[in-house]
Amino acid sequence: MANSKYEYVKSFEVEDKLMPSTWIVVRIDGRHFHQFSDEHEFEKPNDKQALELMNSCAEALLEEFKDVVFAYGVSDEYSFLFKKTSEFYQRRASKIVSILVSFFSSLYVMKWKTFFPLKELKTIPCFDARAICYPSTKIVRDYFSWRQVDCHINNQYNTCFWMLIKSGKTKREAQDLLKGTQTPEKNEILFQLGINYNELPAMFRKGSCVFRDKGEEIVKYNQDGDPVKRLRTKVGTVHRDIIGDTFWREHPEILSD
Ligand code: GTP
Ligand code: MG
């Protein structure tokens, strides 16, 4: 087809290919979720249903996009890791970022009723997103450690803060009490309020990891009524420590090239 005289406008489009042979992380983050969680009366500091909705969206995303090998989520954010060799949309940043964030946002709306059958979705959930390239598995590990440390620090602070409020302190008093405290002091405050931090749900303390894992699946039952099983890769969510080596040693396929 002959070019029209307008075709030249295409030359204004810039190349935005992500560096080859690097791990791509796309991190999405809820826009104004402080407000969104208030409007929808999320439990403070952690709303189990809201977090499970996020996890369910992340699982569906991994089912759809096979190049995404791992995801880590906490609060209103999720990080998605593409395998190093991915050629998804020729590694074009804007395509990758926009597809992932719009897919996730649509899922969030579609699945809302399943997780909040009695709550109307009052405002539009919206997420920002960015893509970052990491050149080595060490840095990828450090990236996820950074997010999990953040999860721990925020969750411990928020748990203390809201427990102090529940015990009758004002927001100002709670803030002043927590100023400059380290982990052991916060644990002590919680202990005195009758809470053992380590017994809180792992999803709150450690965040959520989504990946493909091998599991057994019942295909049918034979004539004796015994199950016939086969191995199958299934996307699932766990709440584990990802700072130490154990998790990664148990799942070497995630970071293998
Ligand atoms: P931007 O991301 O800059 O648009 O701001 P934001 O309002 O989304 O804040 P940010 O992403 O820094 O932090 C997420 C916020 O979401 C938290 O500060 C909480 O207010 C809220 N949030 C996330 N998860 C929960 C939850 O489980 N329960 C409640 N009550 N609030 C939550
Ligand atoms: Mg946010």
Side-chain angles (χ1 to χ4, degrees):
M1 207 200 300
N3 287 350
S4 82
K5 67 172 181 174
Y6 305 113
E7 193 85 6
Y8 79 96
V9 296
K10 256 187 98 62
S11 67
F12 286 80
E13 290 182 17
V14 288
E15 265 248 340
D16 63 348
K17 275 195 178 195
L18 295 166
M19 206 184 296
S21 297
T22 53
W23 299 94
I24 302 169
V25 171
V26 175
R27 182 168 74 251
I28 64 160
D29 186 293
R31 176 175 174 259
H32 297 167
F33 258 50
H34 184 72
Q35 198 179 325
F36 183 86
S37 54
D38 276 350
E39 282 161 352
H40 295 89
E41 294 169 336
F42 283 3
E43 272 179 44
K44 291 175 194 301
N46 292 291
D47 189 292
K48 185 172 175 288
Q49 290 305 108
L51 294 172
E52 283 179 353
L53 168 57
M54 292 285 288
N55 295 346
S56 174
C57 295
E59 285 187 6
L61 193 145
L62 260 81
E63 295 279 7
E64 178 73 15
F65 302 112
K66 303 298 176 207
D67 279 8
V68 180
V69 290
F70 180 75
Y72 177 73
V74 47
S75 181
D76 67 338
E77 70 165 64
Y78 241 103
S79 299
F80 297 98
L81 176 70
F82 280 80
K83 64 180 182 183
K84 214 173 165 182
T85 51
S86 178
E87 279 303 323
F88 189 59
Y89 281 93
Q90 299 86 50
R91 300 177 76 90
R92 289 161 68 188
S94 52
K95 287 265 189 190
I96 295 173
V97 165
S98 57
I99 283 169
L100 252 65
V101 76
S102 61
F103 192 82
F104 192 95
S105 307
S106 299
L107 281 167
Y108 195 93
V109 175
M110 275 181 70
K111 287 173 177 279
W112 177 268
K113 265 270 159 299
T114 311
F115 290 86
F116 294 109
L118 303 176
K119 269 185 200 173
E120 190 197 341
L121 184 57
K122 293 181 191 159
T123 51
I124 299 168
C126 179
F127 296 82
D128 69 49
R130 72 198 70 187
I132 316 117
C133 293
Y134 294 112
S136 70
T137 50
K138 182 197 178 292
I139 305 178
V140 170
R141 287 264 316 259
D142 285 348
Y143 171 81
F144 286 110
S145 298
W146 172 53
R147 298 323 303 140
Q148 194 166 50
V149 167
D150 222 49
C151 166
H152 169 73
I153 292 170
N154 289 335
N155 185 57
Q156 210 193 25
Y157 182 93
N158 291 337
T159 307
C160 276
F161 181 82
W162 288 107
M163 285 302 141
L164 286 167
I165 301 291
K166 274 189 192 157
S167 76
K169 297 267 186 281
T170 64
K171 286 188 178 176
R172 188 59 201 262
E173 285 169 340
Q175 272 163 1
D176 287 346
L177 254 164
L178 291 172
K179 215 177 200 167
T181 53
Q182 300 296 314
T183 294
E185 291 146 281
K186 288 201 196 74
N187 273 340
E188 186 52 34
I189 293 174
L190 283 173
F191 197 69
Q192 284 179 5
L193 293 168
I195 289 171
N196 183 344
Y197 184 77
N198 291 325
E199 283 173 6
L200 292 177
M203 178 165 71
F204 301 170
R205 290 182 291 114
K206 298 193 186 303
S208 302
C209 308
V210 180
F211 58 100
R212 289 177 197 86
D213 203 4
K214 285 189 184 69
E216 280 189 338
E217 178 188 52
I218 296 173
V219 188
K220 60 176 183 182
Y221 289 89
N222 65 20
Q223 283 167 342
D224 300 331
D226 296 326
V228 178
K229 295 176 185 172
R230 72 166 172 204
L231 270 181
R232 175 183 124 84
T233 325
K234 201 171 165 291
V235 174
T237 305
V238 299
H239 315 289
R240 296 272 309 269
D241 174 86
I242 51 171
I243 298 169
D245 292 335
T246 312
F247 173 82
W248 302 105
R249 225 186 280 127
E250 285 171 11
H251 302 286
E253 68 286 353
I254 296 175
L255 293 181
S256 69
D257 289 344

